Amino acid sequence: MRFVAIPAARAFLLAGAAALPATALHAQDAPPAADATDAQAESQTVSTGNDIIVTATKREQTLQETPVAVSVTTADTIERAQIRDIADLATVVPSLRVSQLQSAFATSYSVRGFGTDGNNIGLEPSVAMFVDGVYRSRAIAQISDLPDIQRVEVLRGPQSTLFGKNASAGVISIVTKKPSFEPGGMVEASYGNYNALVAKAYLTGPISDTIAASIAGGYNRRDGYLTNAVNGQDINNRNRWFARGQLLFEPNSDLSVRLIGDYDQIDERCCGVVNVRPSAATGAVRAVGGQVNDFRNNPGGDVIYTDVDPFNRIKNYGFSGQIDYSFGDVTATSISSYRKTDLNANQDVDFSSAALATGANIGQAKIDTFTQELRLASDFDGPANFLLGGYYFNEKVNTADQITFGNQFRPYADLLIRGASANTQNINSLEATFSALTGRNLVGQFFAAGQGFQNNIRQKNDAWSVFGNVDFEFTPGLVLTLGASYTKDKKRIVTNSTSTDVFSNLDLNVIRNTATQFGIAQTIGGLLGVPGGVASAAQVQGFAQANPAAFTQISTGAAAATAPLLGFTALQFLPPMQNCPNSVETCATNDGDWSYTVRLAYEVTPTLNVYASWATGYKAPSFNLSRDSRPLAGDYARLVAANQAVVNLRPGTRFAAAEDSEVFEIGLKGNWDYAAANLTFFRQSISNFQANTFTGSSFVLSNAGERLTYGVEFDGYVRPAEGLTFSLAMTYLDSKYKSFVASPLGDLSGRPVAGIPKLSAVFGIQYEKPVGASGDRIIARTDFSYQASVRVTEGLPAFIDIINGQRDYTRAQAIVLPYRREVNDLNASLTYALNMGLELSLWGRNLLDSRYISTIFDSVAQDESISGYPNQPRTYGVAARFKF
């Protein structure tokens, strides 16, 4: 009983929300709507008026009748809107948001405002990605151009019951076209501003009566919309390609075997950063000869300054095989896959033209993933049907990153030292002072070019799950669904990290204590008239016993005199990391949990359906695989007690605990001759949400106590006249931290979650008019994507103040209030489609050239300076497509 969602051939469903039955989905099962086979019963694209049909072996059902919240974007919409990748898809699906920050790897997806920051390879997404039923464990595994698409489905809310781990917030499913036993194909070329060139092709047909094949490929190249003023190089460009081949073997109506192989590659300069608030430290960058873009004087954000052109080089490839065999009213399915992702990246750490430092939070990474799913699904004529299955996941991750000081970091640090000491010290005098206090020759050693931090972490992940559900129709139209899944997840990491930053390897507390003791001995030596002026330990002890009050006064004065030495702690940018496993930490997790679904659906009339559901979700624990991976507080205390802690170690987050999500949902779905409408009300929460916060020099991984969202989703369309369609999709979200006491920015409990707009909407119009009697058509479409103004982040850690020894978060939270994001994207296309298969189009995206900063962060090594990422400007062009 595997339902398959199918888009109508020419039905315009901008952000078309439709619903898929959860009874069909798990792990590698191509979300609900699975693949199309022209002559077979599995599933196919059909059009019956307004209906988008769901078909599976011996059953069919309209999407309007299925009781799950899902947005379906058809191949026609993707073509007309010039949607190239998942990031573009967000402009027509208001519940979906895609963010790309410092690199391609830092791409993240969120649904209904729930998603995981991608800037840490240890963090698996809360929104699971599937391509033809195969799970992609990181967003980077599917950021390339969309292949030979049949449709893209976005399932909203927890889907863990049938999709397994890491679907605690939702699912994005890309469904490609199956090979056809009828010859056909498509070629497409597009050219636009920024010298953009896109070419794609698809060919399918029979090899024999029982074997069909298809091959697809694409190339996408575009100049960058930012210019590096240092060397004239364009940044934020496009340079990617993909190839994909499939074989389909169907010897009879009971057996189907589908084999898929794919490869894609990205080699791009990404991502450009602008400065939105310079500080005194930014002045120090300029003082050593560096330049920094000031977005306030360049609101277009089209010029940046960087001495290192950032690059992202990514390779993805994999193989999968799906076997479906029907025996009577039961179908057995097996889906096997192997995937590999390779990443090599670099960037300017300080985002200026000064040669301060280079490196990447994730410099190199290799991900090898194997998955296997087995499933049994019934299609009985009686009132009850079932789905049972099991899933296995094995993955190996090897990641490395580094930061290296450039030849201008030492003079830059000299200016910071002068500022921190009110010009009582410079880098040379500080080296001399510390040499005397440590007995080491530190002259010329602080912040020397080539020093830095090298990090390598390996992770092994094994997981398995068992799942199932039962549908029971009590009376005609009234169906109860019960589902459950148990997931077991094991992870183990091994770290190998080294800091060669000499200054960060100094224990300033020990040095300060040495200086304090020397000051005491020097003062007492002067009072006692000791030759050389420095009292011995015995003389100091004797003085303390004879003059306790005076000794206290001298000690207090000496401590006050040496206290400024601790002020240089802020310049210890790259302290050592405690490698693990170690004597205290096993650096392994072994976790498991149940997920459940209960749903009651009722067909009120043939055109109106209602449902109510409750579901839970689970996301496994995640290790912090960044250079700021540190022991938890309890482990830190045990390491210190055992004298095993590395110098300057502080507690942090080695890993984040598992996420647990829950949703209550009520939905109404209507479908009439000339209109359709879906309305959903929900309450969704995630406990122990895995949050990743940038502090200006590193990332802090933590668990939020609970995030809670109340929301309303609406989508629908109306066809008031032949060929004319108006559509509207809207999402309202009231999202807050119900509990987040120990966030890096203070207690955020009760506060709204930043970056999640209250209202997101997509308004669309499409008009299709026949031309003459030849069957030619003119197709005009436009959509306007709106996101209400929203604060882009909760706060910035660089602005945390220490008052009376306590951290005060007032400024850190207030400084971000002026930085808001509002999205007003207008997209349009005009197509002349000839009946013989040729289509000629004019297209444009972000036609209003709406510019904004997508998010902000603490500038690296520039205290109280703020940087951000600008969005993509207006793009436009022409396209030609031929279908045969």
Side-chain angles (χ1 to χ4, degrees):
M1 196 172 70
R2 186 162 70 97
F3 296 148
V4 182
I6 311 295
R10 293 178 184 170
F12 175 65
L13 285 177
L14 185 63
L20 303 162
T23 52
L25 310 177
H26 185 76
Q28 299 178 12
D29 187 13
D35 343 301
T37 306
D38 292 340
Q40 306 299 327
E42 179 72 17
S43 65
Q44 54 186 329
T45 301
V46 292
S47 176
T48 57
N50 290 349
D51 293 341
I52 295 178
I53 300 297
V54 176
T55 62
T57 55
K58 301 180 182 179
R59 290 194 60 176
E60 69 175 33
Q61 180 177 3
T62 68
L63 286 174
Q64 291 297 136
E65 294 170 339
T66 58
V68 173
V70 60
S71 300
V72 177
T73 305
T74 66
D76 279 350
T77 297
I78 289 170
E79 290 175 357
R80 303 281 179 247
Q82 291 294 308
I83 293 172
R84 300 297 180 194
D85 52 28
I86 296 297
D88 290 342
L89 184 71
T91 62
V92 296
V93 181
S95 290
L96 172 67
R97 184 163 181 262
V98 181
S99 302
Q100 181 172 303
L101 303 179
Q102 75 176 49
S103 68
F105 188 89
T107 302
S108 60
Y109 307 130
S110 64
V111 173
R112 291 176 171 174
F114 294 97
T116 302
D117 189 323
N119 219 334
N120 189 325
I121 198 170
L123 288 176
E124 295 165 284
S126 299
V127 177
M129 168 69 71
F130 293 83
V131 180
D132 288 326
V134 174
Y135 175 54
R136 304 288 178 94
S137 65
R138 304 296 190 281
I140 194 175
Q142 183 52 58
I143 62 170
S144 60
D145 285 11
L146 298 173
D148 39 315
I149 290 297
Q150 181 173 314
R151 81 195 146 274
V152 180
E153 303 165 356
V154 179
L155 281 74
R156 311 189 295 267
Q159 306 294 328
S160 297
T161 301
L162 291 168
F163 279 91
K165 70 167 191 169
N166 303 336
S168 57
V171 166
I172 300 172
S173 172
I174 297 174
V175 181
T176 69
K177 300 172 183 176
K178 270 188 176 180
S180 173
F181 286 93
E182 294 292 330
M186 179 274 295
V187 291
E188 174 188 355
S190 174
Y191 184 80
N193 61 332
Y194 295 101
N195 199 28
L197 174 64
V198 177
K200 296 175 71 173
Y202 172 73
L203 180 66
T204 186
I207 296 177
S208 69
D209 291 341
T210 59
I211 301 176
S214 68
I215 186 170
Y219 175 67
N220 184 346
R221 187 211 67 206
R222 187 203 68 212
D223 293 341
Y225 55 84
L226 302 178
T227 300
N228 183 5
V230 176
N231 57 15
Q233 184 66 269
D234 58 305
I235 308 295
N236 286 16
N237 69 324
R238 278 284 184 269
N239 183 25
R240 52 182 64 180
W241 63 272
F242 74 87
R244 182 179 178 86
Q246 298 190 55
L247 284 174
L248 179 65
F249 174 57
E250 293 188 335
N252 53 56
S253 60
D254 293 327
L255 177 63
S256 174
V257 179
R258 185 184 185 188
L259 303 177
I260 303 173
D262 67 274
Y263 182 94
D264 66 78
Q265 186 168 313
I266 295 174
D267 187 357
E268 298 173 350
R269 295 178 295 277
C270 177
C271 299
V273 171
V274 297
N275 190 291
V276 299
R277 184 186 186 274
S279 68
T282 309
V285 172
R286 294 190 173 108
V288 298
Q291 292 179 290
V292 176
N293 169 284
D294 189 342
F295 190 73
R296 299 172 304 178
N297 300 324
N298 180 31
D302 55 350
V303 176
I304 64 172
Y305 293 88
T306 172
D307 64 308
V308 178
D309 287 330
F311 66 78
N312 295 263
R313 295 169 185 151
I314 303 163
K315 295 179 182 178
N316 279 304
Y317 60 88
F319 310 93
S320 67
Q322 177 170 339
I323 303 174
D324 294 286
Y325 181 72
S326 298
F327 43 96
D329 293 329
V330 177
T331 298
T333 298
S334 169
I335 306 178
S336 308
S337 76
Y338 171 77
R339 299 209 57 80
K340 186 175 181 64
T341 297
D342 291 341
L343 165 69
N344 188 18
N346 192 22
Q347 68 180 68
D348 191 4
V349 174
D350 52 278
F351 306 116
S352 76
S353 64
L356 300 186
T358 63
N361 187 51
I362 302 168
Q364 301 85 35
K366 295 182 182 295
I367 306 174
D368 292 85
T369 308
F370 170 77
T371 61
Q372 174 64 55
E373 180 184 2
L374 298 173
R375 185 179 64 246
L376 288 174
S378 72
D379 188 23
F380 302 135
D381 292 332
N385 276 284
F386 70 87
L387 182 146
L388 296 173
Y391 178 70
Y392 175 71
F393 174 90
N394 175 271
E395 183 173 80
K396 296 179 179 68
V397 177
N398 190 338
T399 179
D401 63 86
Q402 61 283 318
I403 289 182
T404 304
F405 292 146
N407 56 25
Q408 286 183 294
F409 198 89
R410 182 175 168 85
Y412 172 69
D414 181 45
L415 293 176
L416 298 183
I417 290 169
R418 292 172 186 269
S421 64
N423 285 317
T424 62
Q425 292 272 13
N426 59 43
I427 195 167
N428 294 319
S429 66
L430 194 65
E431 287 173 335
T433 299
F434 282 12
S435 292
L437 292 171
T438 62
R440 299 167 54 189
N441 181 11
L442 298 173
V443 176
Q445 297 297 305
F446 290 174
F447 309 108
Q451 292 181 12
F453 187 94
Q454 294 78 41
N455 183 33
N456 173 243
I457 304 179
R458 290 174 287 122
Q459 175 178 279
K460 183 178 180 181
N461 183 193
D462 281 292
W464 57 266
S465 62
V466 290
F467 58 93
N469 63 16
V470 176
D471 289 341
F472 190 83
E473 188 170 13
F474 290 98
T475 62
L478 181 63
V479 178
L480 174 67
T481 299
L482 301 175
S485 169
Y486 181 78
T487 298
K488 189 71 171 179
D489 185 90
K490 297 180 180 180
K491 292 186 176 77
R492 178 180 294 275
I493 69 169
V494 177
T495 74
N496 181 18
S497 304
T498 304
S499 173
T500 59
D501 176 6
V502 172
F503 191 75
S504 292
N505 277 275
L506 296 176
D507 190 331
L508 296 188
N509 287 296
V510 172
I511 291 175
R512 186 229 177 163
N513 184 60
T514 301
T516 300
Q517 295 304 314
F518 180 79
I520 293 171
Q522 192 175 46
T523 301
I524 292 175
L527 292 175
L528 297 178
V530 175
V534 179
S536 66
Q539 290 171 324
V540 171
Q541 184 178 5
F543 181 88
Q545 292 173 348
N547 306 279
F551 180 77
T552 299
Q553 185 178 1
I554 292 170
S555 299
T556 302
T562 59
L565 292 177
L566 296 182
F568 297 115
T569 302
L571 302 182
Q572 294 186 307
F573 300 113
L574 303 173
M577 185 176 82
Q578 185 85 39
N579 283 317
C580 73
N582 51 55
S583 61
V584 172
E585 299 175 283
T586 63
C587 285
T589 61
N590 186 349
D591 196 72
D593 203 359
W594 286 92
S595 298
Y596 303 98
T597 297
V598 178
R599 181 172 55 248
L600 188 65
Y602 182 60
E603 181 183 280
V604 180
T605 71
T607 59
L608 181 64
N609 301 76
V610 297
Y611 73 91
S613 66
W614 169 77
T616 64
Y618 169 73
K619 179 184 173 183
S622 294
F623 271 104
N624 186 354
L625 301 188
S626 77
R627 62 177 173 271
D628 201 49
S629 180
R630 301 181 183 277
L632 297 174
D635 292 333
Y636 165 79
R638 285 187 285 273
L639 284 165
V640 171
N643 198 29
Q644 297 293 314
V646 297
V647 66
N648 293 328
L649 182 65
R650 63 178 185 271
T653 49
R654 187 73 79 182
F655 69 92
E659 288 182 0
D660 293 296
S661 58
E662 181 180 50
V663 66
F664 296 90
E665 192 169 288
I666 298 175
L668 297 89
K669 299 175 180 294
N671 189 3
W672 302 275
D673 289 339
Y674 300 102
N678 302 323
L679 181 63
T680 306
F681 300 88
F682 65 89
R683 178 194 185 277
Q684 186 170 328
S685 62
I686 290 187
S687 300
N688 288 327
F689 177 77
Q690 296 173 1
N692 197 37
T693 305
F694 186 61
T695 64
S697 59
S698 59
F699 289 86
V700 176
L701 178 61
S702 57
N703 285 107
E706 184 177 359
R707 276 183 53 180
L708 175 64
T709 296
Y710 290 91
V712 181
E713 295 166 324
F714 170 83
D715 63 85
Y717 66 87
V718 60
R719 297 193 181 99
E722 182 69 25
L724 178 63
T725 303
F726 294 95
S727 64
L728 171 63
M730 301 177 65
T731 299
Y732 174 82
L733 300 174
D734 183 6
S735 183
K736 68 178 181 180
Y737 292 106
K738 188 174 180 181
S739 173
F740 197 1
V741 176
S743 91
L745 292 159
D747 187 358
L748 297 179
S749 302
R751 291 178 177 267
V753 180
I756 301 176
K758 287 275 190 182
L759 178 65
S760 301
V762 179
F763 309 86
I765 304 174
Q766 178 164 305
Y767 182 61
E768 184 173 338
K769 180 177 176 60
V771 178
S774 64
D776 295 353
R777 295 166 293 136
I778 291 179
I779 306 167
R781 61 156 284 131
T782 184
D783 60 78
F784 179 72
S785 178
Y786 170 75
Q787 293 180 16
S789 177
V790 63
R791 180 164 46 92
V792 296
T793 187
E794 276 85 11
L796 296 174
F799 294 87
I800 297 173
D801 295 314
I802 305 298
I803 300 177
N804 297 324
Q806 302 295 317
R807 296 165 70 87
D808 185 277
Y809 302 94
T810 303
R811 278 203 317 138
Q813 296 177 3
I815 193 68
V816 302
L817 294 179
Y819 300 99
R820 304 183 67 85
R821 178 185 69 243
E822 180 177 311
V823 176
N824 295 278
D825 277 354
L826 177 65
N827 309 310
S829 68
L830 179 65
T831 300
Y832 189 91
L834 284 75
N835 188 51
M836 47 80 73
L838 179 64
E839 298 181 358
L840 303 174
S841 300
L842 299 173
W843 60 268
R845 297 185 61 80
N846 190 15
L847 288 172
L848 301 178
D849 201 28
S850 175
R851 304 303 303 277
Y852 54 85
I853 296 295
S854 60
T855 191
I856 59 174
F857 59 94
D858 289 318
S859 302
V860 179
Q862 299 176 48
D863 190 40
E864 297 196 359
S865 173
I866 302 175
S867 298
Y869 298 96
N871 74 314
Q872 183 170 304
R874 173 172 46 228
T875 57
Y876 51 85
V878 297
R881 182 182 302 110
F882 181 64
K883 299 179 180 179
F884 55 91

